[in-house]
Amino acid sequence: AIKNNPQLKQGYIYALRLLAASKKSEAELLERLARKGYALEVAQQVTQELKTQGILSDQKMIEETIQWSSQTKRYGRRRIFMELKKRGIKPSAVEKALERYPKDLEREVATQLAKERWTKLEKVEFKKRRKRLYDFLINRGFDFELSRELVSKITSSTDENS
C-alpha cells in the first residue's frame, strides 16, 4: 500500500531518516510527521508499517533508554521515568520496564556518583558542600530517601573540620 501512494512513501522515507538519526517513540514520530505537514492518517499508517516491520518499537526504545540512562548517564529511576514520559511513553509502560532496573544497581551507581561529587566539592564550605551533594543526587533522579542516606553516610565519614 505504501509503494502506490506517493505521500505515504515520502512519509515513510522521512520517518526512516528520523529513526536513523535517533531513536524515537511512536508518539514522537507521529508528532514529527504532523509537524512536517503529513495528515494524521498518513502518519498513523507510516508508524503502523514501521511497527509491523519491527523498525519502530516503543518497548525496545524504553529498554535501551533505561540501559543507557542508568549505565552511561548514571541517572536514577525518577529521572529516567521523566525522560521517557516526556517522550510520549505511557507511565504504566515505563514503571513496568523500570521494575527490571535493580534497586541495588541504582544504589551502587548513586553511591559512586556521590563519592565522586563529594571529592569534587572538597574546596566548598561543609554545609554548602552537603547541600550541593544532596541537590546533585536529586537532580540525577535518585529518590529523596536514598539521596539523604548517602549524604549522611558520606558526610559523617568526613570530619567537619577537615
Side-chain angles (χ1 to χ4, degrees), residues 2 8 11-12 15 19 25-31 33 40-57:
I2 283 188
L8 273 176
Y12 182 78
L19 290 170
S25 68
E26 184 179 349
E28 287 174 308
L29 197 56
L30 283 168
E31 194 260 325
L33 285 163
L40 179 62
E41 100 184 16
V42 170
Q44 287 172 333
Q45 278 182 280
V46 168
T47 54
Q48 189 53 55
E49 180 63 28
L50 290 166
K51 281 174 21 186
T52 303
Q53 294 175 355
I55 297 170
L56 179 65
S57 165

Side-chain angles (χ1 to χ4, degrees), residues 103-117:
K103 284 213 183 272
D104 52 342
L105 176 63
E106 183 182 28
R107 172 178 290 281
E108 213 174 280
V109 168
T111 304
Q112 188 60 43
L113 272 171
K115 286 177 182 172
E116 289 169 14
R117 192 59 169 199

Side-chain angles (χ1 to χ4, degrees), residues 94-136:
V94 178
E95 284 169 9
K96 193 173 178 192
L98 278 172
E99 286 170 10
R100 293 190 295 276
Y101 176 27
K103 284 213 183 272
D104 52 342
L105 176 63
E106 183 182 28
R107 172 178 290 281
E108 213 174 280
V109 168
T111 304
Q112 188 60 43
L113 272 171
K115 286 177 182 172
E116 289 169 14
R117 192 59 169 199
W118 186 250
T119 305
K120 247 185 205 162
L121 295 169
E122 65 188 348
K123 290 181 173 39
V124 178
E125 183 262 320
F126 187 80
K127 281 184 179 152
K128 272 187 187 169
R129 189 179 180 193
R130 217 183 131 96
K131 170 139 180 45
R132 284 190 191 168
L133 177 61
Y134 178 75
D135 292 346
F136 173 76

Side-chain angles (χ1 to χ4, degrees), residues 11-92:
Y12 182 78
I13 292 167
Y14 178 67
L16 282 176
R17 274 201 208 110
L18 288 174
L19 290 170
S22 69
K23 301 245 177 288
K24 303 252 180 293
S25 68
E26 184 179 349
E28 287 174 308
L29 197 56
L30 283 168
E31 194 260 325
R32 289 291 297 269
L33 285 163
R35 234 188 325 171
K36 189 76 171 168
Y38 290 99
L40 179 62
E41 100 184 16
V42 170
Q44 287 172 333
Q45 278 182 280
V46 168
T47 54
Q48 189 53 55
E49 180 63 28
L50 290 166
K51 281 174 21 186
T52 303
Q53 294 175 355
I55 297 170
L56 179 65
S57 165
D58 279 1
Q59 193 52 47
K60 201 159 76 175
M61 194 207 68
I62 291 170
E63 287 167 16
E64 288 172 1
T65 301
I66 289 174
Q67 187 176 4
W68 178 78
S69 296
S70 62
Q71 293 170 2
T72 308
K73 295 300 264 179
R74 302 194 293 179
Y75 290 152
R77 285 171 190 284
R78 286 181 38 250
R79 176 82 178 258
I80 296 169
F81 180 85
M82 294 312 292
E83 298 279 327
L84 285 165
K85 199 174 144 213
K86 197 166 54 183
R87 296 183 72 180
I89 304 293
K90 289 185 186 83
S92 58

